[in-house]
Amino acid sequence: MPHNIEASPPAPSPVVEFAQHVGRLHTLLDRVVVSAVTGFGLSRGEFDVLVALAARPEGIRPGQLSEGLLLTTGGLSNILRRLQRDGLIERLLETSDRRGRSIHLTDAGWAMARETTVVVYAGIERLLESIDASSLGEANAHLHSVLSHLGEDAPVHRLQ
């Protein structure tokens, strides 16, 4: 049966192509991260929380963490429960507001954040090692600009 060419989907615009490229890169990078953290018994979300907490040694409230990592509060609660059960985080009463709790890494959490980050970063370096530094620098600047225009200012910087 012949196909109706006029009923074909439209060709992607440059905006859609950009989104497709970013999505594909995200998938490749996510595979590296998930593969690395699974070896430590962590999920991707648990790793992201550990790294965010390592960037905030003074602690952070759950709402700030949820917003910074673009996680739902329910999803974050599950992650925090698992990390606390495993002795990687603790929830402490805030001195300024006795009703609030801040989340902190335990000594074991600090060690896990360090070890997993080393392995994850090495995997990302291996994945992208064939790309010259100037191309990566330009891509980084362009992606930062796009995220800034979206009001995100690059989520990787939000909690640091």
Side-chain angles (χ1 to χ4, degrees):
M1 169 181 227
H3 296 282
N4 181 350
I5 302 273
E6 292 176 19
S8 296
S13 68
V15 170
V16 172
E17 284 183 344
F18 172 78
Q20 290 171 332
H21 289 302
V22 169
R24 179 72 176 170
L25 180 58
H26 175 266
T27 299
L28 294 171
L29 291 167
D30 199 51
R31 285 178 185 167
V32 169
V33 174
V34 169
S35 175
V37 301
T38 301
F40 289 91
L42 295 174
S43 70
R44 171 64 195 251
E46 291 165 341
F47 169 72
D48 290 342
V49 167
L50 290 177
V51 171
L53 291 173
R56 297 286 296 264
E58 73 280 6
I60 187 169
R61 289 184 139 196
Q64 295 169 296
L65 189 57
S66 173
E67 182 183 330
L69 292 176
L70 305 176
L71 292 170
T72 65
T73 54
L76 178 62
S77 291
N78 290 332
I79 291 170
L80 294 177
R81 204 172 6 266
R82 287 190 302 270
L83 292 173
Q84 189 170 18
R85 178 198 67 210
D86 294 344
L88 300 174
I89 66 161
E90 56 189 352
R91 301 178 204 210
L92 303 174
L93 284 175
E94 288 195 359
T95 54
S96 62
D97 179 2
R98 288 286 185 203
R99 296 169 298 160
R101 293 196 178 266
S102 62
I103 306 161
H104 300 261
L105 291 174
T106 63
D107 289 343
W110 279 103
M112 181 68 78
R114 242 185 335 271
E115 291 172 40
T116 55
T117 300
V118 167
V119 174
V120 166
Y121 287 4
I124 291 170
E125 294 278 346
R126 278 191 305 279
L127 176 68
L128 301 176
E129 69 187 351
S130 65
I131 303 167
D132 67 274
S134 66
S135 292
L136 286 174
E138 289 176 31
N140 194 26
H142 290 301
L143 287 172
H144 181 77
S145 175
V146 168
L147 288 166
S148 293
H149 278 74
L150 295 174
E152 286 297 315
D153 190 35
V156 295
H157 301 301
R158 184 176 286 167
L159 292 173
Q160 295 177 358

